[in-house]
Amino acid sequence: MTLDLDLPRFRQLLTQACEHVLGLYDGLEARRITHASPPARIADRFAGPLPTSGRPPEEVLARDIPFIFEHSTLNISPRFFAYVMSGGTQVGILAELLGAALNVNSAKWHLASAGAEMERVVIRWLSEFIGYRADAGGALVSGGSEANLYCLRVARDVQAPESREEGCRTERPLSLYASAETHSCVMKSVEMLGIGSRYLRKIPVDSRFRVDVAKLEQQLLEDQRAGLRPFCIVGNAGTVNTGSVDDLDALADVAARQGLWFHVDGAYGAAAASVDLTRELFRGLQRADSIALDPHKWLQVPFEAGCALVRDWKSLRHAFGYDTPYLKARSDSAERWDWMGHTFQLSRSFRALKVWMQLQVYGSHALQSVIEGNVRLMQQLGEEISHARDFELMAPVPLSIACFRYVPAQGPALSDEALDLLNDRILEECERRGVFFLTGTKLSGRTALRACLVNHRTTEKETRGLLAHLRAIGEELVAAS
Ligand SMILES: *Cc1c(COP(=O)(O)O)cnc(C)c1O
């Protein structure tokens, strides 16, 4: 029995699916971003038993897809400012469809061929895009988290080659150094690699949320004296909280002096190293031994697309290459690029296609314009906030994240605790209304409204609209209390 439908019916279904896509993008600007349904209502809709006989695909498309579209958060909207989420592109939709149609496994050259070669080119282009080495090694992975894990695995292997066989020894533990603003995936990676969370030394930041390099060096020396084995420094090229960029050059100096691996988490920010407006912030990035970046963030590639870059292909091959008899190499294998020998995954989707198509169709200049435009819009918003009587900017805006809070201009002055409460309620109310969406964070213990822009669809109309919307909510909440 085959699961295939006949071609005329398949064509009909493709058309039906396309209509859904077109419907989603038709009038996108006006659509709600969040929905009003409680979790139980959505869970109920999907609560049925395991289907045994199945249903016609036409019916699934007609009855279920609209519900799914309505009950998904619309991060493709130009009014979406939460987390670090790009809008994706129409070209990305096509690439996902075409890649799925082919269903190749990008594990090995003779399984993917075009895809295997394409991924190598994509690695080179991404490396070049951010001003890193043309001969860098790398791999496309699920996202920034996995990219950081890969890079730290390679770092551990290079710096402590015996750890591969022996595991991490406890008598002279490996330790690594990163700012307190570092993404949680670095901690997850450290735990997964068996290094132990206490050996990730979280170094305080300065008033601009950049790692305090002197304190980092001091901690490092103390640890050496105490018998630890420092092996890696992690620099941030755009933190998720505020977009701060560590002094990468200074970190590279410390790493060089101490003979340590220098890894940079550029999942969000490294793409901004490609544009004139912000390039200077990233001085020293090219000295990294490895870099994590995320094409599914500022490069607008649809989820999932992360990228781990390392200085040297050999280090990846050393970490992930194994001889397995059933995947035996052929005599001409030197020319046939073996991806499974450079990554943890064996079976791999055709991720390269959507990154490649994105770069083919738009070119680096258009993507750089998006990045530069996003930074300009958010820096402008930051300016506006710092001059407003009823908002307070809580961190500088080096890239495209603004952290601020609403502080009523009228009435008695509120305590920090009361402002935390008020701003938490503004966030909740904003999500409930569904017109704009942003999330919050804590900065020095205080609640901040955090707006992050990595979306090619957003214009000044939306950034101004966001502030007016938050102000209106703030005023209403204060009036009602
Ligand atoms: C987003 C982000 C990550 C995690 O990346 P995912 O793609 O979500 O796995 C790690 N570090 C930074 C700085 C990020 O912005």
Side-chain angles (χ1 to χ4, degrees):
M1 161 193 181
T2 173
L3 298 174
D4 281 340
L5 308 167
D6 59 46
L7 283 185
R9 192 166 167 208
F10 184 37
R11 181 189 302 272
Q12 203 56 50
L13 282 166
L14 282 170
T15 309
Q16 198 182 342
C18 283
E19 288 306 322
H20 282 302
V21 174
L22 294 168
L24 187 62
Y25 280 83
D26 186 17
L28 176 63
E29 307 79 43
R31 229 168 268 283
R32 259 188 84 106
I33 296 179
T34 50
H35 55 81
S37 302
R41 165 141 195 264
I42 302 173
D44 278 353
R45 181 71 160 73
F46 296 113
L50 169 70
T52 48
S53 335
R55 291 158 62 208
E58 292 82 357
E59 185 198 305
V60 174
L61 283 178
R63 291 201 38 214
D64 297 281
I65 295 300
F67 182 89
I68 293 165
F69 277 18
E70 275 161 35
H71 292 88
S72 299
T73 302
L74 210 63
N75 52 273
I76 55 177
S77 163
R79 284 175 280 99
F80 187 97
F81 291 91
Y83 307 107
V84 189
M85 303 263 229
S86 88
T89 61
Q90 292 160 344
V91 164
I93 300 170
L94 302 179
E96 289 282 42
L97 177 69
L98 297 168
L102 205 50
N103 193 34
V104 291
N105 186 338
S106 303
K108 293 186 79 70
W109 191 91
H110 65 267
L111 292 174
S113 301
E117 297 297 344
M118 188 185 283
E119 186 164 344
R120 279 213 285 176
V121 170
V122 162
I123 295 298
R124 177 160 60 76
W125 286 350
L126 291 175
S127 187
E128 205 176 300
F129 187 86
I130 61 165
Y132 195 51
R133 313 160 63 85
D135 60 346
L140 294 179
V141 295
S142 61
S145 302
E146 200 177 341
N148 277 296
L149 174 65
Y150 271 47
C151 292
L152 292 176
R153 162 73 201 276
V154 170
R156 195 201 68 179
D157 279 15
V158 170
Q159 291 282 310
E162 83 293 342
S163 66
R164 192 165 173 186
E165 218 179 307
E166 308 276 330
C168 293
R169 291 188 182 146
T170 47
E171 68 272 18
R172 267 197 80 206
L174 294 167
S175 58
L176 67 169
Y177 301 80
S179 93
E181 293 287 301
T182 302
H183 194 275
S184 56
C185 73
V186 171
M187 179 60 89
K188 284 189 191 172
S189 302
V190 163
E191 290 172 350
M192 285 176 80
L193 291 168
I195 291 165
S197 55
R198 74 152 81 157
Y199 299 112
L200 171 58
R201 302 303 204 186
K202 292 196 167 174
I203 310 298
V205 290
D206 62 16
S207 61
R208 292 158 69 195
F209 299 93
R210 296 150 39 114
V211 70
D212 184 325
V213 180
K215 286 196 177 127
L216 185 147
E217 213 166 359
Q218 193 186 332
Q219 179 73 52
L220 214 154
L221 296 176
E222 265 171 41
D223 285 353
Q224 277 169 339
R225 276 198 292 274
L228 265 55
R229 190 148 59 122
F231 79 102
C232 177
I233 293 175
V234 178
N236 281 300
T239 60
V240 268
N241 258 348
T242 68
S244 68
V245 182
D246 289 335
D247 185 342
L248 302 176
D249 223 17
L251 292 179
D253 285 341
V254 177
R257 265 201 302 281
Q258 299 286 340
L260 308 183
W261 187 272
F262 179 39
H263 170 64
V264 173
D265 180 3
Y268 151 56
S274 72
V275 305
D276 293 340
L277 181 62
T278 43
R279 183 172 299 118
E280 189 55 23
L281 283 175
F282 297 88
R283 188 144 39 95
L285 177 70
Q286 70 284 358
R287 296 171 66 192
D289 294 301
S290 58
I291 303 174
L293 65 144
D294 247 348
H296 68 205
K297 286 179 176 163
W298 239 336
L299 295 184
Q300 313 292 316
V301 175
F303 295 117
E304 300 164 348
C307 177
L309 292 177
V310 293
R311 183 176 284 277
D312 187 353
W313 281 109
K314 280 202 293 287
S315 60
L316 266 186
R317 200 148 44 229
H318 183 259
F320 297 113
Y322 287 87
D323 251 348
T324 43
Y326 100 101
L327 298 160
K328 189 92 190 91
R330 295 162 35 122
S331 52
D332 60 351
S333 59
E335 293 153 42
R336 298 174 148 227
W337 196 260
D338 176 23
W339 277 106
M340 63 160 289
H342 293 86
T343 67
F344 173 71
Q345 278 183 283
L346 201 173
S347 299
R348 304 171 76 236
S349 72
F350 196 174
R351 271 197 190 102
L353 182 62
K354 58 185 173 180
V355 186
W356 184 84
M357 271 181 72
Q358 190 87 330
L359 291 163
Q360 280 293 318
V361 171
Y362 300 109
S364 62
H365 288 171
L367 297 170
Q368 284 157 356
S369 299
V370 168
I371 294 165
E372 190 154 329
N374 284 176
V375 174
R376 281 191 200 285
L377 277 178
M378 293 310 284
Q379 291 187 342
Q380 199 180 313
L381 185 72
E383 265 309 290
E384 220 165 293
I385 289 167
S386 63
H387 291 115
R389 287 178 57 235
D390 50 356
F391 284 104
E392 185 180 296
L393 193 64
M394 294 173 77
V397 187
L399 299 178
S400 67
I401 298 174
C403 289
F404 55 104
R405 62 179 175 177
Y406 178 69
V407 182
Q410 260 119 45
L414 296 181
S415 67
D416 271 334
E417 290 71 23
L419 285 174
D420 285 354
L421 220 59
L422 175 59
N423 281 278
D424 280 333
R425 292 190 55 211
I426 290 174
L427 287 171
E428 274 171 34
E429 184 59 22
C430 183
E431 179 176 338
R432 203 185 61 74
R433 294 187 186 185
V435 182
F436 286 88
F437 191 36
L438 82 171
T439 38
T441 188
K442 288 276 182 195
L443 291 181
S444 316
R446 304 270 68 105
T447 295
L449 308 173
R450 176 188 166 283
C452 173
L453 178 58
V454 284
N455 189 335
H456 62 97
R457 298 191 181 99
T458 304
T459 66
E460 196 173 339
K461 179 167 154 244
E462 285 84 19
T463 50
R464 284 181 181 274
L466 171 70
L467 208 59
H469 188 70
L470 294 171
R471 174 174 286 135
I473 293 176
E475 285 169 359
E476 278 176 45
L477 289 174
V478 170
S481 69

